[in-house]
Amino acid sequence: MVKILWKGNKMRTPFVAGNWKMNKTVEEARNLVYSMSAKLREIQSVEKVLCPPFTSLLAISGLLEGTGIGLGAQNMYWEEKGAFTGEVSPAMVKELCQYAIIGHSERRAYFGETDETVNKKVKAAQTFDVTPIVCVGETLEQYESNRTSEVVARQIKFGLADVSPAFAPRIVVAYEPVWAIGTGKASSGENANGVVSKVIRPALTELFGAQTAQAIRVLYGGSVTASNASEFFGQSEIDGALVGGASLKVDEFVAITMAASKR
Ligand code: 13P
């Protein structure tokens, strides 16, 4: 009998998501998808997700049908419906999307999200069968005062508390150091890999056990480009990327996804 020994990271399907943030009108979003979807769908070994603003989800969901490219929301509320003006419920997200970004650092910084609200949203994702892409990461100040481990471990512990072990392998974690987001100053591959292996996987192991922790995809995010992507994908513990600015550029995003397929 031939015994196949998998390297740990090969068990996890590479994952690349584009977080468009607050960019693109519906027409612009359609055009961007038209110009990248054929190229992306050819890269079959990578799980690919586009996260446009809410206003474009309906238009884009039609365009992505049958392409194998997933659709994600950039946020969602935890209540199913009711008097929550301006919010979008998990049931509404589920109608159009398979994924939702939860706890992005911009939401934590500008919109008062906390580990507690992140946890409510992750549990709502579980209830409504939406795959959460849960963002964690330290600020520059925390990084400079050597508090990365403490901060990131706490974000995982409280953000993912009380999630069922059956749902846990579906979760995707994105390690996004805040100082690397939109600054052009990406973390080094080695530094990011160290945080994932020394902080994030151990915290996931504590919550869900070693086997499940090994199955959870962990992405890197923060100034990922076509030129630095392979540095991250070459790391044993990094399973893909959450891409901001470069996900709005067709060639860049396709090249990043291609780099993930070579992982
Ligand atoms: P940039 O790739 O623009 O640095 O943004 C990263 C990010 O915040 C993705 O969620």
Side-chain angles (χ1 to χ4, degrees):
M1 199 174 83
V2 183
K3 205 170 172 189
I4 301 168
L5 291 174
W6 293 100
K7 259 173 67 188
N9 63 15
K10 297 282 182 198
M11 292 173 0
R12 302 186 290 264
T13 305
F15 190 108
V16 174
N19 174 9
W20 294 8
K21 307 193 179 184
M22 198 176 72
N23 292 291
K24 306 293 173 189
T25 61
V26 176
E27 193 187 344
E28 290 165 347
R30 271 205 200 99
N31 288 336
L32 185 57
V33 171
Y34 280 135
S35 49
M36 63 167 66
S37 62
K39 292 173 190 154
L40 286 178
R41 69 183 295 178
E42 281 173 25
I43 311 170
Q44 288 177 5
S45 57
V46 178
E47 195 168 326
K48 307 161 289 284
V49 181
L50 303 180
C51 305
F54 283 119
T55 48
S56 292
L57 288 175
L58 181 58
I60 301 304
S61 70
L63 296 181
L64 293 184
E65 231 163 80
T67 63
I69 303 166
L71 188 62
Q74 296 175 16
N75 176 33
M76 79 182 185
Y77 197 54
W78 58 82
E79 295 285 353
E80 183 177 356
K81 59 183 169 186
F84 303 101
T85 302
E87 291 295 322
V88 176
S89 89
M92 296 165 186
V93 167
K94 177 66 187 176
E95 273 192 300
L96 301 170
C97 300
Q98 303 81 45
Y99 304 84
I101 297 173
I102 291 178
H104 191 279
S105 62
E106 287 148 18
R107 296 215 53 86
R108 293 179 191 251
Y110 309 138
F111 303 103
E113 295 218 9
T114 62
D115 293 333
E116 197 185 345
T117 60
V118 168
N119 186 241
K120 287 182 177 177
K121 292 178 180 193
V122 172
K123 287 193 281 194
Q126 172 178 294
T127 305
F128 287 86
D129 192 33
V130 171
T131 297
I133 302 170
V134 183
C135 301
V136 297
E138 79 285 5
T139 62
L140 179 63
E141 190 202 343
Q142 292 162 339
Y143 175 69
E144 285 176 341
S145 52
N146 291 317
R147 291 175 55 213
T148 300
S149 304
E150 166 209 328
V151 169
V152 173
R154 192 182 60 226
Q155 289 171 334
I156 295 279
K157 180 177 173 188
F158 292 105
L160 303 185
D162 304 320
V163 166
S164 88
F167 183 72
R170 281 266 298 279
I171 296 171
V172 178
V173 173
Y175 170 54
E176 300 204 309
V178 178
W179 46 269
I181 295 178
T183 58
K185 290 183 192 147
S187 162
S188 69
E190 200 185 342
N191 175 66
N193 198 55
V195 175
V196 181
S197 64
K198 296 194 190 97
V199 183
I200 296 181
R201 285 225 196 268
L204 292 171
T205 302
E206 213 167 288
L207 285 172
F208 306 118
Q211 202 178 348
T212 300
Q214 283 302 318
I216 294 176
R217 266 90 53 87
V218 183
L219 319 178
Y220 168 77
S223 298
V224 174
T225 63
S227 12
N228 65 18
S230 350
E231 181 185 341
F232 296 104
F233 302 151
Q235 306 291 332
S236 61
E237 292 300 317
I238 297 177
D239 305 309
L242 181 55
V243 185
S247 72
L248 300 169
K249 298 176 189 150
V250 177
D251 293 347
E252 283 278 311
F253 192 63
V254 170
I256 291 167
T257 309
M258 190 64 89
S261 74
K262 305 214 166 79
R263 190 176 153 278

